[in-house]
């Protein structure tokens, strides 16, 4: 059994094609594992029957030598993607009982490629959070424990915390995530897996519950870089139903993965060396630079001068868009309704009860920065800074092929440790948000362990729509890092 | 009292002197299109509640708007017809507010960068004056749904059929100075929209609605503070609302008060406006560019294509009717206000031998046909007499087969039976008598029977000539050629 769960996405695909196992067998193994890891609270909904039904169809295809690139591979879906007939919550009370009559484009693409749906994973409410603690369904738990404290439960990061926990805890072969300010990369870093955010527009946003429309982007969360490449191919593609989806063909992201970084120029941005960054993270970053240098890359010191403004800019633009995007949850048509004596009272009751504290905080911030008299000082200025940040990257990518930086400023923290300090919580995103503001692709690769024995990620950032090159650099980094540590909970499976 | 003298500008006479009205209009015109502005749902009027609602219109989670190119083309066509600047780049913004029939919690509209900029509408006023009304802008936006408050004692029902339907908001400059000018502006705008087929202009069904901005001032002074009267849905109501609102403002100002800038509603039953919300209560719409949509970029080649596809517009057609057909301004205006009327008229004039008299045809269409249709409560489209049939009647009239008087009888018969003119004339023997001998016999008989009057006439009572004509026509059953009757009578009476 353990052997099956140890297969990564690419290996499982090969095993299925070779007839060494079946989708049904693989899917059952994961469904059992999901049951065994309920304490991770990684899933909000498990779709066991559907998974087995899908697996059966896959096996029939595989037996005939047919099937798509992901045929028979059981994966988990962040519960922000609408899935037809399956409860979709965005981890919010306000979407109580909501079963969409439609399927998101990304998940449609995945099922079309043959993937099997295990269930819907936990997340921060409406993807707003960096620890998965704002979920109405309770926090997802990181499979990892600190070496010196096996008792304290740690966050898996967020917002795609459930997906990260599931993949790291072997409760899914791979999972989808969404990354608005780092929501794929930071949890990937915290749980020792690979998490990739593609270029804005690479994956359709249609059918994904919107948080901040100009920043949201779906991506894969996997065990390896090769898995990420394989899964991204199954997710991406132009979608006429999303006006911001890029009308570009989807390249074979797996091709050229092993081409190495010889001759590539890797930028190291000085602005990411922030005050108070733990020495071990700085050290890992330097190590990453050495690895790529040893692999033949040319290292270039670069400057992204507007980086210090990225976090405040992000925390204006994202809440502004969110305040408008979340206006539709009003109790009139679907989800929760808490009645009142008037329409206004029904709104207040419904939204007061339906949204958690962090979501309410961001709606308030967003409403404030868009309001008359403050728009110019906040939203408009933030948009200007955003252009400058984008320009920083454009200029950098004139001279470099990719940029290397840490994924997050710390390793995973204890559940409850930062939940009362939103500003401290927001600082988790300091290395990830600039990329979202620029609309660029990035990937977190597990690169080492902290002194506490917890995984740390390094982040590679790429130029617009150059995911293939980004993956190539990430693969070189992965190879050099040879990260083999496993959380203790995986012992004996 | 409003002054009636048309040569003078419109003024309202207050206690302290004359006041001038300043009026600007925001017209919401529903775009004629098969589907909504950002979804594929249908737009037909009068469908079962909530039967034309897509996932996008209902604002289901994760749904995204995709611009409907047909609606964009319609807005561009309208802009071109209003002689306006077309903006090659425009931006859709979100206008945020909560209401039960606004599913997204925001309306997608255009705020700072509309698709159409400044343009102009030319008005011909009833007193013969012409004037120009500036267009400030035209932008595309979504309509909201409909709240039904009268279906249940304590609940409101929501119908989302209209949610997401494309509207053009056409904003005029504050160039209008009287209720009549405003009415003329709305009629002209509607005429243009209907010509180019971008809005059906049906105010009863709500496909054209007006927000009216009214202020008053002493002639020659700067603008006063305005009030906006929302959602007025007929031209008559617009005129009433302006009149009422102007008088209300004048009363306040003359009593030493000031006007509060506010949004008001027109109560059609009472013929008055009342406050809806003050400036302080105004919504903060928190406009910002919709991140789900890219800026709308128009290809200049497409704009040129749309321009080339525009039909002849009412102003041009009116001018041509005057120059080509020799019609009066009034007749040309009346015939060209509706494209269907103008087409109908031209079908009459240009049909058949092509020798039909355009002026006579105009008279027939405007008085006889429209009179009859009005009486029967019919639209031109439902006319029992086709343009072709009307042309046939014109031919009989033109070649002297029947007289004008007979033509009216024939026309009445045509309306009733749907038969064509020639058949009716043949059947009833109404053919005009142009045989000199036959007419002469009738004239002789008339003169013989009225010896006394002949003597009076010859004694200088010229007015009796009409009597002889009447008698002759009567005796001929209206069929005698009137010209010949005149000639013969003159000759014989002179004798």
């Amino acid at each position: 059994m353990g052997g099956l769960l140890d297969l990564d996405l690419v290996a499982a695909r090969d095993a299925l094609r070779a007839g060494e196992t079946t989708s049904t067998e693989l899917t059952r193994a994961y469904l059992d594992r999901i049951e065994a890891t309920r304490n991770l609270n990684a899933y909000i909904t498990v779709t066991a029957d559907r998974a087995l039904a899908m697996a059966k169809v896959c096996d029939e295809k595989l037996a005939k030598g047919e099937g798509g690139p992901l045929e028979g591979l059981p994966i988990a879906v962040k519960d922000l993607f609408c899935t037809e007939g399956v409860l979709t919550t965005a981890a919010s009370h306000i979407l109580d009982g909501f079963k969409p009559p439609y399927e998101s484009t990304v998940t449609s693409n995945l099922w079309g490629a043959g993937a099997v749906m295990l269930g819907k994973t936990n997340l921060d409410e409406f993807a707003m959070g960096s620890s998965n603690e704002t979920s109405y369904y309770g926090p997802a738990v990181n499979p990892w424990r600190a070496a010196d404290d096996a008792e304290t439960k740690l966050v898996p990061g967020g917002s795609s915390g459930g997906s990260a926990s599931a993949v790291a805890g072997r409760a899914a072969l791979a999972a989808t995530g969404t990354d608005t300010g780092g929501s794929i990369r930071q949890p990937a870093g915290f749980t020792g897996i690979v998490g990739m955010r593609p270029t804005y527009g690479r994956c359709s946003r249609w059918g994904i519950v919107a948080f901040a429309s100009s920043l949201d982007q779906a991506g894969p969360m996997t065990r390896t870089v090769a898995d990420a490449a394989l899964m991204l191919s199954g997710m991406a593609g132009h979608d006429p139903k999303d006006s911001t989806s890029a009308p570009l063909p989807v390249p074979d992201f797996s091709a050229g993965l092993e081409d190495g970084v010889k001759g590539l120029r890797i930028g190291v941005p000085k602005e990411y060396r922030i005050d108070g960054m733990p020495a071990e993270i700085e050290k890992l970053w330097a190590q990453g630079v050495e690895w790529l240098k040893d692999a033949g890359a040319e290292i270039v010191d670069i400057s992204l001068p507007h980086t210090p403004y990225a976090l405040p800019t992000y925390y204006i633009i994202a809440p502004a868009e969110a305040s408008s995007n979340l206006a539709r949850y009003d109790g009139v048509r679907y989800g929760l309704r808490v009645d009142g004596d008037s329409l206004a009272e029904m709104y207040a009751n419904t939204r007061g009860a339906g949204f958690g504290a962090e979501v309410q905080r961001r709606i308030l911030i967003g409403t404030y920065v868009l309001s008359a008299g403050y728009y110019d000082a906040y939203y408009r200025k933030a948009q200007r800074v955003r252009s400058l940040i984008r320009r920083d990257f454009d200029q950098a990518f004139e001279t470099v092929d990719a940029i290397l930086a840490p994924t997050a400023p710390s390793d995973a923290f204890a559940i409850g440790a930062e939940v009362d300090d939103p500003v401290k919580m927001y600082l988790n995103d300091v290395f990830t948000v600039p990329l979202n503001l620029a609309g660029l692709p990035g990937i977190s690769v597990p690169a080492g362990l902290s002194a506490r024995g917890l995984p740390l990620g390094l982040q590679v950032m790429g130029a617009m729509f150059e995911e293939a090159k980004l993956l190539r650099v990430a693969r070189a980094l992965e190879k050099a890092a040879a990260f083999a540590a496993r959380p203790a909970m995986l012992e004996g499976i | 009292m409003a002054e009636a003298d048309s040569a003078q500008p419109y003024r309202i006479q207050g206690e302290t002197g004359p006041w001038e009205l300043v009026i600007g209009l925001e017209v919401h015109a529903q775009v004629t299109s098969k589907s909504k502005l950002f979804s594929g749902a249908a737009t037909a009027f009068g469908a079962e509640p909530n039967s034309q609602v897509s996932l996008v219109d209902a604002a289901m989670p994760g749904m995204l708007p995709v611009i409907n190119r047909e609606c964009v083309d319609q807005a561009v066509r309208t802009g071109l017809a209003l002689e306006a600047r077309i903006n090659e780049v425009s931006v859709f913004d979100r206008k945020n507010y909560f209401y039960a029939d606004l599913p997204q919690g925001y309306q997608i509209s255009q705020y700072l960068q509309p698709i159409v900029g400044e343009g102009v509408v030319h008005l011909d006023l009833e007193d013969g004056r012409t004037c120009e009304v500036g267009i400030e802008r035209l932008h595309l936006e979504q309509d909201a749904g409909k709240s039904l408050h009268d279906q249940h004692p304590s609940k409101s029902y929501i119908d989302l059929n209209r949610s997401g339907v494309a509207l053009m908001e056409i904003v005029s400059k504050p160039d209008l100075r009287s209720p009549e000018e405003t009415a003329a502006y709305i009629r002209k705008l509607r005429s243009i929209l209907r010509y180019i087929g971008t809005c059906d202009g049906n105010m009863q069904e709500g496909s054209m609605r007006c927000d009216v901005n009214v202020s008053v001032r002493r002639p020659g002074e700067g603008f006063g503070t305005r009030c906006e009267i929302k959602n007025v849905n007929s031209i008559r109501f617009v005129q009433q609302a302006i009149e009422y609102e102007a008088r209300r403002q004048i009363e306040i100002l003359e009593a030493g008060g000031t006007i509060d800038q506010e949004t008001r509603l027109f109560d059609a039953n009472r013929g008055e406006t009342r406050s809806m919300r003050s400036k302080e209560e105004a919504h903060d719409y928190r406009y910002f560019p919709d991140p789900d949509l890219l800026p709308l970029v128009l290809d200049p080649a497409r704009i040129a294509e749309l321009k080339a596809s525009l039909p002849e517009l009412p102003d041009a057609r009116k001018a041509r009717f005057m120059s080509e057909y020799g019609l009066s301004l009034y007749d040309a205006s009346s015939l060209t206000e509706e494209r269907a009327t103008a087409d109908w008229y031209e079908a009459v004039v240009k049909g058949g031998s092509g020798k039909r008299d355009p002026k006579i045809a105009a008279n027939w269409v405007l008085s006889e046909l429209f009179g009859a249709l009005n009486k029967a409560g019919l639209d031109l489209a439902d006319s029992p007499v086709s343009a072709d049939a009307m042309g046939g009647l014109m031919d009989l009239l033109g070649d002297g087969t029947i007289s004008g008087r007979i033509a009216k009888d024939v026309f009445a018969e045509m309306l009733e039976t749907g038969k064509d003119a020639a058949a009716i004339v043949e059947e009833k023997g109404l053919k005009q008598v142009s045989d000199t001998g036959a007419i002469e016999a009738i004239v002789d008989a008339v003169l013989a029977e009225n010896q006394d009057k002949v003597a009076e006439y010859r004694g200088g009572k010229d007015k009796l000539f009409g009597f002889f004509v009447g008698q002759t026509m009567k005796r001929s059953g209206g069929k005698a050629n009137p010209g010949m009757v005149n000639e013969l009578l003159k000759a014989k009476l002179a004798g």
Side-chain angles (χ1 to χ4, degrees):
Chain A
M1 202 63 171
L4 266 187
L5 295 180
D6 273 341
L7 297 174
D8 61 31
L9 197 68
V10 170
R13 176 198 63 188
D14 294 343
L16 286 174
R17 286 188 181 170
E20 290 159 16
T21 184
T22 64
S23 177
T24 302
E25 204 178 6
L26 197 58
T27 301
R28 271 190 210 286
Y30 275 100
L31 290 171
D32 289 346
R33 178 66 184 162
I34 291 169
E35 289 311 314
T37 56
R38 280 286 184 188
N39 58 340
L40 292 179
N41 198 26
Y43 284 83
I44 292 173
T45 303
V46 179
T47 53
D49 293 345
R50 178 178 294 224
L52 290 169
M54 288 172 93
K56 189 163 170 260
V57 175
C58 294
D59 281 331
E60 284 162 12
K61 286 190 186 168
L62 285 163
K64 286 187 272 183
E66 295 169 0
L70 298 173
E71 200 66 43
L73 300 170
I75 62 168
V77 174
K78 185 180 184 179
D79 204 12
L80 200 64
F81 293 78
C82 290
T83 42
E84 191 173 349
V86 176
L87 183 69
T88 297
T89 69
S92 180
H93 187 26
I94 210 156
L95 275 171
D96 272 7
F98 175 62
K99 289 183 180 174
Y102 48 92
E103 184 79 28
S104 84
T105 299
V106 163
T107 48
S108 277
N109 290 349
L110 285 168
W111 315 143
V116 169
M117 176 164 85
L118 291 168
K120 308 292 290 288
T121 56
N122 206 345
L123 66 152
D124 280 296
E125 186 179 3
F126 282 103
M128 297 179 192
S130 308
S131 66
N132 210 131
E133 291 169 285
T134 69
S135 168
Y136 177 68
Y137 296 90
V141 178
N142 194 328
W144 293 79
R145 290 287 195 278
D148 56 356
D149 179 2
E151 294 309 307
T152 303
K153 289 180 178 175
L154 305 176
V155 303
S159 66
S160 311
S163 289
S165 282
V167 174
R170 298 286 190 269
L173 192 42
T176 67
T178 61
D179 190 316
T180 304
S183 284
I184 287 175
R185 289 160 291 157
Q186 184 254 20
F190 275 16
T191 56
I193 64 168
V194 172
M196 178 178 184
R197 176 207 140 87
T199 310
Y200 183 80
R202 182 62 94 177
C203 293
S204 169
R205 292 184 298 112
W206 193 89
I208 301 174
V209 175
F211 161 15
S213 313
S214 74
L215 299 159
D216 295 344
Q217 182 60 207
M221 302 180 77
T222 56
R223 287 182 212 165
T224 68
V225 173
D227 285 3
L230 175 61
M231 185 153 162
L232 179 60
S233 299
M235 296 170 72
H238 177 237
D239 180 6
K241 289 186 290 191
D242 174 1
S243 310
T244 62
S245 155
L248 293 173
V250 179
D252 178 2
F253 295 114
S254 302
L257 209 54
E258 303 292 344
D259 287 357
V261 290
K262 207 173 183 110
L264 293 188
R265 292 163 64 92
I266 306 297
V268 180
K270 64 176 187 203
E271 289 79 9
Y272 281 61
R273 210 157 275 129
I274 56 167
D275 287 346
M277 178 153 70
E280 60 186 3
I281 289 184
E282 185 133 17
K283 201 173 138 217
L284 182 72
W285 188 12
Q287 178 65 67
V289 171
E290 284 309 307
W291 283 330
L292 291 178
K293 199 168 164 184
D294 291 347
E298 184 188 342
I299 305 300
V300 185
D301 285 324
I302 61 164
S303 173
L304 299 167
H306 296 91
T307 302
Y309 308 109
L311 202 59
T313 299
Y314 173 83
Y315 276 98
I316 288 169
I317 291 173
E321 294 183 7
S323 70
S324 177
N325 281 337
L326 269 59
R328 66 187 56 200
Y329 306 104
D330 58 5
V332 173
R333 297 170 310 289
Y334 46 77
L336 183 72
R337 178 191 291 190
V338 182
D339 279 322
D341 287 337
S342 65
L343 181 62
E345 207 178 293
M346 188 277 279
Y347 284 155
N349 292 347
T350 300
R351 291 166 66 83
F355 291 138
E358 182 60 27
V359 171
Q360 291 191 23
R361 176 164 26 246
R362 297 202 195 188
I363 290 173
L364 286 173
I365 293 172
T367 304
Y368 178 78
V369 300
L370 287 175
S371 59
Y374 299 98
Y375 183 89
D376 287 347
Y378 293 104
Y379 187 77
R380 193 186 301 279
K381 186 161 278 177
Q383 288 293 12
R384 290 209 183 111
V385 177
R386 184 179 187 173
S387 307
L388 295 173
I389 289 168
R390 201 178 282 138
R391 203 173 64 190
D392 282 356
F393 279 105
D394 287 349
Q395 284 170 352
F397 283 114
E398 281 171 18
T399 55
V400 300
D401 296 289
I403 295 169
L404 185 71
T407 301
S410 75
D411 57 7
F413 45 87
I415 289 175
E418 294 184 11
V419 78
D420 295 326
D421 187 348
V423 174
K424 196 170 173 206
M425 186 69 87
Y426 295 171
L427 279 170
N428 275 291
D429 305 332
V430 66
F431 297 137
T432 46
V433 292
L435 201 73
N436 297 74
L437 291 167
L440 300 175
I443 186 167
S444 176
V445 177
L449 291 177
S450 68
R452 300 197 296 157
L454 295 174
L456 293 172
L458 283 176
Q459 179 186 196
V460 187
M461 302 180 239
M464 189 137 313
F465 296 112
E466 290 195 0
E467 283 90 350
K469 196 192 273 178
L470 177 72
L471 284 159
R472 196 173 132 198
V473 176
R475 173 65 190 129
L477 190 66
E478 179 185 50
K479 220 148 84 183
F483 183 83
R486 288 155 57 114
M489 76 174 293
L490 291 186
E491 304 279 323
I493 69 152
Chain B
M1 271 284 290
E3 290 178 22
D5 187 348
S6 60
Q8 297 296 316
Y10 182 89
R11 297 283 184 263
I12 290 181
Q13 203 64 39
E15 298 284 328
T16 60
W19 294 84
E20 182 180 25
L21 275 56
V22 176
I23 303 152
L25 244 58
E26 290 164 27
V27 173
H28 297 262
Q30 182 181 324
V31 174
T32 301
S33 64
K34 286 193 265 319
S35 50
K36 297 182 178 180
L37 183 53
F38 295 112
S39 83
T43 56
F45 176 79
E48 279 295 298
N50 295 311
S51 64
Q52 299 181 344
V53 184
S54 77
L55 297 167
V56 175
D57 308 323
M60 299 300 279
M63 292 300 96
L64 298 171
V66 176
I67 186 76
N68 176 351
R69 287 281 155 186
E70 188 193 356
C71 296
V72 172
D73 284 355
Q74 292 288 59
V76 171
R77 288 160 58 84
T78 307
L80 292 168
L82 298 174
E83 303 171 33
R85 191 184 71 242
I86 307 300
N87 293 323
E88 283 175 24
V89 178
S90 64
V91 173
F92 286 102
D93 298 279
R94 292 186 184 178
K95 178 179 178 178
N96 296 283
Y97 66 96
F98 281 94
Y99 202 64
D101 58 24
L102 187 73
Q104 294 167 131
Y106 55 83
Q107 176 192 32
I108 305 178
S109 181
Q110 297 190 300
Y111 185 47
L112 294 177
Q113 291 176 262
I115 184 166
V116 174
E118 292 186 325
V120 67
V121 172
H122 306 271
L123 304 186
D124 295 310
L125 301 169
E126 285 190 14
D127 57 21
R129 283 188 299 130
T130 59
C131 76
E132 287 190 349
V133 179
I135 295 295
E136 178 69 35
R137 59 184 280 166
L138 175 157
H139 68 252
L140 278 168
E141 63 183 27
Q142 299 175 296
D143 206 346
K146 205 159 85 179
S147 295
L148 308 165
H149 301 297
D150 54 359
Q151 310 281 309
H152 186 277
S154 61
K155 291 182 190 314
S156 292
Y157 289 0
I158 306 293
D159 177 7
L160 295 180
N161 280 355
R162 229 173 53 188
S163 167
V165 164
L167 300 178
M168 297 179 283
E169 180 170 330
I170 304 167
V171 182
S172 84
K173 292 182 185 287
D175 286 351
L176 296 159
R177 294 288 176 270
S178 72
E180 289 70 32
E181 278 182 26
T182 309
Y185 168 74
I186 298 171
R187 275 197 296 269
K188 187 56 176 285
L189 191 60
R190 188 171 60 181
S191 164
I192 294 170
L193 298 179
R194 288 166 62 101
Y195 256 72
I196 58 177
T198 60
C199 171
D200 67 22
N202 191 328
M203 294 184 86
Q204 283 100 49
E205 290 177 3
S207 41
M208 227 176 115
R209 312 192 284 270
C210 300
D211 296 346
V212 190
N213 285 287
V214 178
S215 66
V216 297
R217 65 179 177 188
R218 295 292 187 192
E221 285 183 357
F223 289 138
T225 303
R226 69 190 156 85
C227 289
E228 181 181 10
I229 311 160
K230 278 273 179 208
N231 254 329
V232 192
N233 63 2
S234 86
I235 294 179
R236 195 162 58 88
F237 291 160
V238 167
Q239 289 179 276
Q240 284 177 9
I242 293 170
E243 183 93 18
Y244 177 88
E245 179 59 19
R247 288 178 190 283
R248 188 189 70 85
Q249 293 182 15
I250 290 167
E251 229 169 80
I252 292 172
L253 292 171
E254 294 196 323
T258 51
I259 305 300
D260 296 324
Q261 185 172 336
E262 60 180 359
T263 304
R264 300 179 67 85
L265 279 176
F266 179 67
D267 182 335
N269 294 322
R270 300 172 147 207
E272 60 187 39
T273 66
R274 60 168 182 270
S275 184
M276 186 175 152
R277 54 174 181 260
S278 69
K279 195 180 175 186
E280 289 70 35
E281 295 165 300
H283 293 298
D284 180 352
Y285 290 120
R286 290 169 285 124
Y287 282 100
F288 75 106
D290 191 332
D292 285 333
L293 292 162
L294 303 172
L296 178 60
V297 179
L298 299 174
D299 180 359
R302 179 69 186 146
I303 299 173
E305 234 173 82
L306 290 167
K307 189 166 191 173
S309 78
L310 284 183
E312 188 181 26
L313 295 172
D315 285 333
R317 201 161 195 187
K318 181 184 65 193
R320 183 167 62 77
F321 276 22
M322 290 169 72
S323 63
E324 191 175 327
Y325 302 135
L327 302 185
S328 68
L329 172 64
Y330 182 81
D331 284 356
S333 295
S334 304
L335 285 170
T336 54
E337 185 172 330
E338 291 287 341
R339 185 179 177 179
T341 311
D343 287 347
W344 209 95
Y345 168 73
E346 288 216 272
V348 174
V349 173
K350 290 187 167 165
S353 59
K355 278 188 264 173
R356 295 166 184 167
D357 185 320
K359 281 190 196 172
I360 291 173
N363 283 336
W364 273 84
V365 171
L366 288 172
S367 18
E368 302 306 324
L369 176 69
F370 281 8
L373 292 178
N374 269 344
K375 216 164 166 188
L378 293 174
D379 286 334
L380 182 60
D382 308 319
S383 169
V385 175
S386 68
D388 215 29
M390 177 69 110
L393 182 64
M394 293 299 103
D395 286 341
L396 296 178
L397 200 55
D399 66 11
T401 307
I402 55 172
S403 68
R405 207 184 73 70
I406 292 288
K408 286 187 189 181
D409 296 338
V410 172
F411 184 63
E413 184 81 14
M414 290 167 75
L415 282 168
E416 204 158 295
T417 63
K419 288 184 187 163
D420 72 61
I424 294 168
V425 168
E426 191 62 39
E427 210 173 276
K428 304 215 156 183
L430 297 172
K431 214 165 175 177
Q432 179 164 273
V433 178
S434 300
D435 173 352
T436 316
I439 296 174
E440 198 170 358
I442 297 170
V443 167
D444 287 346
V446 168
L447 296 185
E449 277 170 25
N450 297 285
Q451 295 288 353
D452 48 340
K453 292 208 165 63
V454 171
E456 282 178 47
Y457 177 86
R458 287 186 176 144
K461 209 167 174 189
D462 291 358
K463 280 186 182 156
L464 277 171
F465 188 72
F467 166 81
F468 298 116
V469 172
Q471 288 298 308
T472 309
M473 291 307 286
K474 193 177 170 190
R475 195 174 263 257
S476 77
K479 291 186 285 184
N481 182 321
M484 292 173 68
V485 171
N486 275 355
E487 255 173 58
L488 280 167
L489 273 171
K490 266 185 189 156
K492 292 202 181 261
L493 284 166

